PDB file of all heavy atoms in Angstrom:
ATOM      1  N   SER A 202     -21.058 -20.823 -17.991  1.00 85.00           N
ATOM      2  CA  SER A 202     -20.153 -19.686 -18.141  1.00 85.00           C
ATOM      3  C   SER A 202     -19.085 -19.782 -17.074  1.00 85.00           C
ATOM      4  O   SER A 202     -19.266 -20.410 -16.033  1.00 85.00           O
ATOM      5  CB  SER A 202     -20.905 -18.361 -18.031  1.00 85.00           C
ATOM      6  OG  SER A 202     -21.381 -18.191 -16.719  1.00 85.00           O
ATOM      7  N   ARG A 203     -17.976 -19.178 -17.381  1.00 86.00           N
ATOM      8  CA  ARG A 203     -16.859 -19.164 -16.455  1.00 86.00           C
ATOM      9  C   ARG A 203     -16.282 -17.757 -16.464  1.00 86.00           C
ATOM     10  O   ARG A 203     -16.152 -17.143 -17.523  1.00 86.00           O
ATOM     11  CB  ARG A 203     -15.806 -20.162 -16.895  1.00 86.00           C
ATOM     12  CG  ARG A 203     -14.600 -20.177 -15.988  1.00 86.00           C
ATOM     13  CD  ARG A 203     -13.552 -21.107 -16.475  1.00 86.00           C
ATOM     14  NE  ARG A 203     -13.888 -22.448 -16.048  1.00 86.00           N
ATOM     15  CZ  ARG A 203     -13.159 -23.507 -16.295  1.00 86.00           C
ATOM     16  NH1 ARG A 203     -12.061 -23.390 -17.006  1.00 86.00           N
ATOM     17  NH2 ARG A 203     -13.512 -24.692 -15.859  1.00 86.00           N
ATOM     18  N   THR A 204     -15.956 -17.250 -15.308  1.00 88.00           N
ATOM     19  CA  THR A 204     -15.354 -15.925 -15.204  1.00 88.00           C
ATOM     20  C   THR A 204     -13.901 -16.095 -14.803  1.00 88.00           C
ATOM     21  O   THR A 204     -13.595 -16.828 -13.871  1.00 88.00           O
ATOM     22  CB  THR A 204     -16.077 -15.072 -14.135  1.00 88.00           C
ATOM     23  OG1 THR A 204     -17.447 -14.965 -14.507  1.00 88.00           O
ATOM     24  CG2 THR A 204     -15.458 -13.688 -14.041  1.00 88.00           C
ATOM     25  N   LEU A 205     -13.037 -15.438 -15.527  1.00 83.00           N
ATOM     26  CA  LEU A 205     -11.607 -15.480 -15.252  1.00 83.00           C
ATOM     27  C   LEU A 205     -11.147 -14.061 -14.967  1.00 83.00           C
ATOM     28  O   LEU A 205     -11.352 -13.159 -15.770  1.00 83.00           O
ATOM     29  CB  LEU A 205     -10.849 -16.043 -16.460  1.00 83.00           C
ATOM     30  CG  LEU A 205      -9.342 -16.079 -16.363  1.00 83.00           C
ATOM     31  CD1 LEU A 205      -8.899 -17.035 -15.261  1.00 83.00           C
ATOM     32  CD2 LEU A 205      -8.762 -16.508 -17.696  1.00 83.00           C
ATOM     33  N   ARG A 206     -10.550 -13.848 -13.811  1.00 87.00           N
ATOM     34  CA  ARG A 206     -10.042 -12.518 -13.457  1.00 87.00           C
ATOM     35  C   ARG A 206      -8.542 -12.492 -13.710  1.00 87.00           C
ATOM     36  O   ARG A 206      -7.812 -13.342 -13.222  1.00 87.00           O
ATOM     37  CB  ARG A 206     -10.304 -12.214 -11.988  1.00 87.00           C
ATOM     38  CG  ARG A 206      -9.782 -10.830 -11.595  1.00 87.00           C
ATOM     39  CD  ARG A 206      -9.849 -10.620 -10.114  1.00 87.00           C
ATOM     40  NE  ARG A 206     -11.247 -10.621  -9.701  1.00 87.00           N
ATOM     41  CZ  ARG A 206     -11.764  -9.725  -8.888  1.00 87.00           C
ATOM     42  NH1 ARG A 206     -11.004  -8.786  -8.384  1.00 87.00           N
ATOM     43  NH2 ARG A 206     -13.022  -9.779  -8.565  1.00 87.00           N
ATOM     44  N   VAL A 207      -8.104 -11.528 -14.494  1.00 83.00           N
ATOM     45  CA  VAL A 207      -6.692 -11.354 -14.801  1.00 83.00           C
ATOM     46  C   VAL A 207      -6.235 -10.052 -14.166  1.00 83.00           C
ATOM     47  O   VAL A 207      -6.823  -8.996 -14.401  1.00 83.00           O
ATOM     48  CB  VAL A 207      -6.450 -11.306 -16.326  1.00 83.00           C
ATOM     49  CG1 VAL A 207      -4.981 -11.056 -16.628  1.00 83.00           C
ATOM     50  CG2 VAL A 207      -6.942 -12.582 -16.976  1.00 83.00           C
ATOM     51  N   THR A 208      -5.216 -10.131 -13.356  1.00 83.00           N
ATOM     52  CA  THR A 208      -4.674  -8.939 -12.709  1.00 83.00           C
ATOM     53  C   THR A 208      -3.281  -8.695 -13.271  1.00 83.00           C
ATOM     54  O   THR A 208      -2.451  -9.596 -13.266  1.00 83.00           O
ATOM     55  CB  THR A 208      -4.596  -9.131 -11.182  1.00 83.00           C
ATOM     56  OG1 THR A 208      -5.894  -9.476 -10.705  1.00 83.00           O
ATOM     57  CG2 THR A 208      -4.105  -7.877 -10.500  1.00 83.00           C
ATOM     58  N   ARG A 209      -3.061  -7.497 -13.754  1.00 76.00           N
ATOM     59  CA  ARG A 209      -1.773  -7.139 -14.329  1.00 76.00           C
ATOM     60  C   ARG A 209      -1.254  -5.917 -13.592  1.00 76.00           C
ATOM     61  O   ARG A 209      -1.965  -4.926 -13.432  1.00 76.00           O
ATOM     62  CB  ARG A 209      -1.957  -6.808 -15.809  1.00 76.00           C
ATOM     63  CG  ARG A 209      -0.687  -6.409 -16.508  1.00 76.00           C
ATOM     64  CD  ARG A 209      -0.964  -6.202 -17.982  1.00 76.00           C
ATOM     65  NE  ARG A 209      -1.801  -5.050 -18.214  1.00 76.00           N
ATOM     66  CZ  ARG A 209      -1.352  -3.890 -18.713  1.00 76.00           C
ATOM     67  NH1 ARG A 209      -0.100  -3.739 -19.026  1.00 76.00           N
ATOM     68  NH2 ARG A 209      -2.180  -2.895 -18.899  1.00 76.00           N
ATOM     69  N   ALA A 210      -0.021  -5.997 -13.153  1.00 75.00           N
ATOM     70  CA  ALA A 210       0.580  -4.856 -12.466  1.00 75.00           C
ATOM     71  C   ALA A 210       0.982  -3.810 -13.503  1.00 75.00           C
ATOM     72  O   ALA A 210       1.710  -4.110 -14.438  1.00 75.00           O
ATOM     73  CB  ALA A 210       1.798  -5.301 -11.668  1.00 75.00           C
ATOM     74  N   ALA A 211       0.495  -2.614 -13.351  1.00 73.00           N
ATOM     75  CA  ALA A 211       0.852  -1.520 -14.254  1.00 73.00           C
ATOM     76  C   ALA A 211       2.227  -0.993 -13.880  1.00 73.00           C
ATOM     77  O   ALA A 211       2.584  -0.943 -12.702  1.00 73.00           O
ATOM     78  CB  ALA A 211      -0.180  -0.409 -14.159  1.00 73.00           C
ATOM     79  N   ALA A 212       2.996  -0.618 -14.895  1.00 70.00           N
ATOM     80  CA  ALA A 212       4.309  -0.033 -14.640  1.00 70.00           C
ATOM     81  C   ALA A 212       4.120   1.289 -13.901  1.00 70.00           C
ATOM     82  O   ALA A 212       3.231   2.067 -14.241  1.00 70.00           O
ATOM     83  CB  ALA A 212       5.037   0.204 -15.956  1.00 70.00           C
ATOM     84  N   PRO A 213       4.939   1.531 -12.891  1.00 73.00           N
ATOM     85  CA  PRO A 213       4.794   2.788 -12.153  1.00 73.00           C
ATOM     86  C   PRO A 213       5.146   3.988 -13.027  1.00 73.00           C
ATOM     87  O   PRO A 213       5.972   3.885 -13.924  1.00 73.00           O
ATOM     88  CB  PRO A 213       5.785   2.646 -10.998  1.00 73.00           C
ATOM     89  CG  PRO A 213       6.723   1.579 -11.408  1.00 73.00           C
ATOM     90  CD  PRO A 213       6.012   0.702 -12.383  1.00 73.00           C
ATOM     91  N   ILE A 214       4.499   5.081 -12.773  1.00 78.00           N
ATOM     92  CA  ILE A 214       4.775   6.328 -13.488  1.00 78.00           C
ATOM     93  C   ILE A 214       5.532   7.241 -12.532  1.00 78.00           C
ATOM     94  O   ILE A 214       5.065   7.518 -11.429  1.00 78.00           O
ATOM     95  CB  ILE A 214       3.473   6.997 -13.959  1.00 78.00           C
ATOM     96  CG1 ILE A 214       2.726   6.071 -14.906  1.00 78.00           C
ATOM     97  CG2 ILE A 214       3.775   8.315 -14.637  1.00 78.00           C
ATOM     98  CD1 ILE A 214       1.351   6.577 -15.284  1.00 78.00           C
ATOM     99  N   LEU A 215       6.708   7.668 -12.972  1.00 81.00           N
ATOM    100  CA  LEU A 215       7.521   8.541 -12.131  1.00 81.00           C
ATOM    101  C   LEU A 215       7.163   9.997 -12.390  1.00 81.00           C
ATOM    102  O   LEU A 215       6.927  10.391 -13.531  1.00 81.00           O
ATOM    103  CB  LEU A 215       9.006   8.324 -12.433  1.00 81.00           C
ATOM    104  CG  LEU A 215       9.543   6.920 -12.167  1.00 81.00           C
ATOM    105  CD1 LEU A 215      10.991   6.820 -12.627  1.00 81.00           C
ATOM    106  CD2 LEU A 215       9.430   6.581 -10.707  1.00 81.00           C
ATOM    107  N   PRO A 216       7.131  10.815 -11.363  1.00 81.00           N
ATOM    108  CA  PRO A 216       6.862  12.243 -11.565  1.00 81.00           C
ATOM    109  C   PRO A 216       8.027  12.908 -12.298  1.00 81.00           C
ATOM    110  O   PRO A 216       9.155  12.410 -12.268  1.00 81.00           O
ATOM    111  CB  PRO A 216       6.717  12.780 -10.141  1.00 81.00           C
ATOM    112  CG  PRO A 216       7.469  11.817  -9.294  1.00 81.00           C
ATOM    113  CD  PRO A 216       7.356  10.485  -9.965  1.00 81.00           C
ATOM    114  N   ALA A 217       7.759  14.023 -12.959  1.00 80.00           N
ATOM    115  CA  ALA A 217       8.794  14.738 -13.705  1.00 80.00           C
ATOM    116  C   ALA A 217       9.859  15.322 -12.778  1.00 80.00           C
ATOM    117  O   ALA A 217      11.029  15.391 -13.139  1.00 80.00           O
ATOM    118  CB  ALA A 217       8.165  15.846 -14.542  1.00 80.00           C
ATOM    119  N   ARG A 218       9.471  15.712 -11.600  1.00 84.00           N
ATOM    120  CA  ARG A 218      10.430  16.273 -10.630  1.00 84.00           C
ATOM    121  C   ARG A 218      10.284  15.558  -9.306  1.00 84.00           C
ATOM    122  O   ARG A 218       9.161  15.333  -8.879  1.00 84.00           O
ATOM    123  CB  ARG A 218      10.168  17.774 -10.413  1.00 84.00           C
ATOM    124  CG  ARG A 218      10.341  18.570 -11.656  1.00 84.00           C
ATOM    125  CD  ARG A 218      11.791  18.951 -11.848  1.00 84.00           C
ATOM    126  NE  ARG A 218      11.895  19.798 -13.015  1.00 84.00           N
ATOM    127  CZ  ARG A 218      12.791  19.609 -13.963  1.00 84.00           C
ATOM    128  NH1 ARG A 218      13.655  18.645 -13.886  1.00 84.00           N
ATOM    129  NH2 ARG A 218      12.826  20.401 -14.996  1.00 84.00           N
ATOM    130  N   PRO A 219      11.335  15.161  -8.666  1.00 86.00           N
ATOM    131  CA  PRO A 219      12.718  15.215  -9.124  1.00 86.00           C
ATOM    132  C   PRO A 219      12.959  14.155 -10.201  1.00 86.00           C
ATOM    133  O   PRO A 219      12.321  13.106 -10.207  1.00 86.00           O
ATOM    134  CB  PRO A 219      13.524  14.900  -7.868  1.00 86.00           C
ATOM    135  CG  PRO A 219      12.628  14.026  -7.055  1.00 86.00           C
ATOM    136  CD  PRO A 219      11.227  14.515  -7.353  1.00 86.00           C
ATOM    137  N   THR A 220      13.882  14.461 -11.111  1.00 85.00           N
ATOM    138  CA  THR A 220      14.222  13.522 -12.174  1.00 85.00           C
ATOM    139  C   THR A 220      14.887  12.304 -11.551  1.00 85.00           C
ATOM    140  O   THR A 220      15.794  12.431 -10.733  1.00 85.00           O
ATOM    141  CB  THR A 220      15.181  14.185 -13.181  1.00 85.00           C
ATOM    142  OG1 THR A 220      14.544  15.342 -13.704  1.00 85.00           O
ATOM    143  CG2 THR A 220      15.538  13.240 -14.302  1.00 85.00           C
ATOM    144  N   ARG A 221      14.406  11.116 -11.935  1.00 87.00           N
ATOM    145  CA  ARG A 221      15.025   9.904 -11.396  1.00 87.00           C
ATOM    146  C   ARG A 221      14.808   8.721 -12.324  1.00 87.00           C
ATOM    147  O   ARG A 221      14.028   8.784 -13.261  1.00 87.00           O
ATOM    148  CB  ARG A 221      14.516   9.594  -9.999  1.00 87.00           C
ATOM    149  CG  ARG A 221      13.052   9.359  -9.896  1.00 87.00           C
ATOM    150  CD  ARG A 221      12.617   9.312  -8.432  1.00 87.00           C
ATOM    151  NE  ARG A 221      11.202   9.009  -8.368  1.00 87.00           N
ATOM    152  CZ  ARG A 221      10.696   7.894  -7.863  1.00 87.00           C
ATOM    153  NH1 ARG A 221      11.499   6.992  -7.354  1.00 87.00           N
ATOM    154  NH2 ARG A 221       9.412   7.695  -7.829  1.00 87.00           N
ATOM    155  N   ILE A 222      15.515   7.640 -12.033  1.00 87.00           N
ATOM    156  CA  ILE A 222      15.430   6.393 -12.788  1.00 87.00           C
ATOM    157  C   ILE A 222      14.742   5.360 -11.915  1.00 87.00           C
ATOM    158  O   ILE A 222      15.031   5.249 -10.720  1.00 87.00           O
ATOM    159  CB  ILE A 222      16.840   5.904 -13.181  1.00 87.00           C
ATOM    160  CG1 ILE A 222      17.458   6.878 -14.178  1.00 87.00           C
ATOM    161  CG2 ILE A 222      16.798   4.489 -13.750  1.00 87.00           C
ATOM    162  CD1 ILE A 222      18.913   6.576 -14.498  1.00 87.00           C
ATOM    163  N   LEU A 223      13.810   4.610 -12.487  1.00 86.00           N
ATOM    164  CA  LEU A 223      13.123   3.561 -11.761  1.00 86.00           C
ATOM    165  C   LEU A 223      14.125   2.458 -11.428  1.00 86.00           C
ATOM    166  O   LEU A 223      14.755   1.896 -12.326  1.00 86.00           O
ATOM    167  CB  LEU A 223      11.982   2.994 -12.605  1.00 86.00           C
ATOM    168  CG  LEU A 223      11.124   1.932 -11.941  1.00 86.00           C
ATOM    169  CD1 LEU A 223      10.341   2.529 -10.778  1.00 86.00           C
ATOM    170  CD2 LEU A 223      10.174   1.316 -12.946  1.00 86.00           C
ATOM    171  N   PRO A 224      14.317   2.156 -10.141  1.00 87.00           N
ATOM    172  CA  PRO A 224      15.277   1.107  -9.760  1.00 87.00           C
ATOM    173  C   PRO A 224      14.957  -0.216 -10.455  1.00 87.00           C
ATOM    174  O   PRO A 224      13.809  -0.617 -10.572  1.00 87.00           O
ATOM    175  CB  PRO A 224      15.088   0.982  -8.250  1.00 87.00           C
ATOM    176  CG  PRO A 224      14.521   2.302  -7.827  1.00 87.00           C
ATOM    177  CD  PRO A 224      13.663   2.748  -8.984  1.00 87.00           C
ATOM    178  N   GLY A 225      15.988  -0.865 -10.946  1.00 88.00           N
ATOM    179  CA  GLY A 225      15.829  -2.149 -11.618  1.00 88.00           C
ATOM    180  C   GLY A 225      15.412  -2.055 -13.073  1.00 88.00           C
ATOM    181  O   GLY A 225      15.266  -3.081 -13.736  1.00 88.00           O
ATOM    182  N   SER A 226      15.244  -0.836 -13.610  1.00 87.00           N
ATOM    183  CA  SER A 226      14.762  -0.704 -14.993  1.00 87.00           C
ATOM    184  C   SER A 226      15.891  -0.597 -16.018  1.00 87.00           C
ATOM    185  O   SER A 226      15.638  -0.650 -17.214  1.00 87.00           O
ATOM    186  CB  SER A 226      13.845   0.517 -15.123  1.00 87.00           C
ATOM    187  OG  SER A 226      14.589   1.715 -15.042  1.00 87.00           O
ATOM    188  N   VAL A 227      17.133  -0.460 -15.581  1.00 87.00           N
ATOM    189  CA  VAL A 227      18.255  -0.292 -16.506  1.00 87.00           C
ATOM    190  C   VAL A 227      18.674  -1.655 -17.062  1.00 87.00           C
ATOM    191  O   VAL A 227      18.899  -2.594 -16.307  1.00 87.00           O
ATOM    192  CB  VAL A 227      19.452   0.378 -15.812  1.00 87.00           C
ATOM    193  CG1 VAL A 227      20.638   0.508 -16.747  1.00 87.00           C
ATOM    194  CG2 VAL A 227      19.067   1.747 -15.266  1.00 87.00           C
TER     195      VAL A 227
END
């Protein structure tokens, strides 16, 4: 058997207030 660990960075979740745009997402 072989175990493979995959790590994936989850997209950040921005709070509703203050309203903002995630830098680099445009």
Side-chain angles (χ1 to χ4, degrees):
S202 68
R203 179 183 278 181
T204 301
L205 177 65
R206 180 189 295 226
V207 177
T208 304
R209 179 176 68 106
I214 299 173
L215 299 175
R218 298 275 184 228
T220 302
R221 60 190 183 114
I222 293 173
L223 183 66
S226 72
V227 178

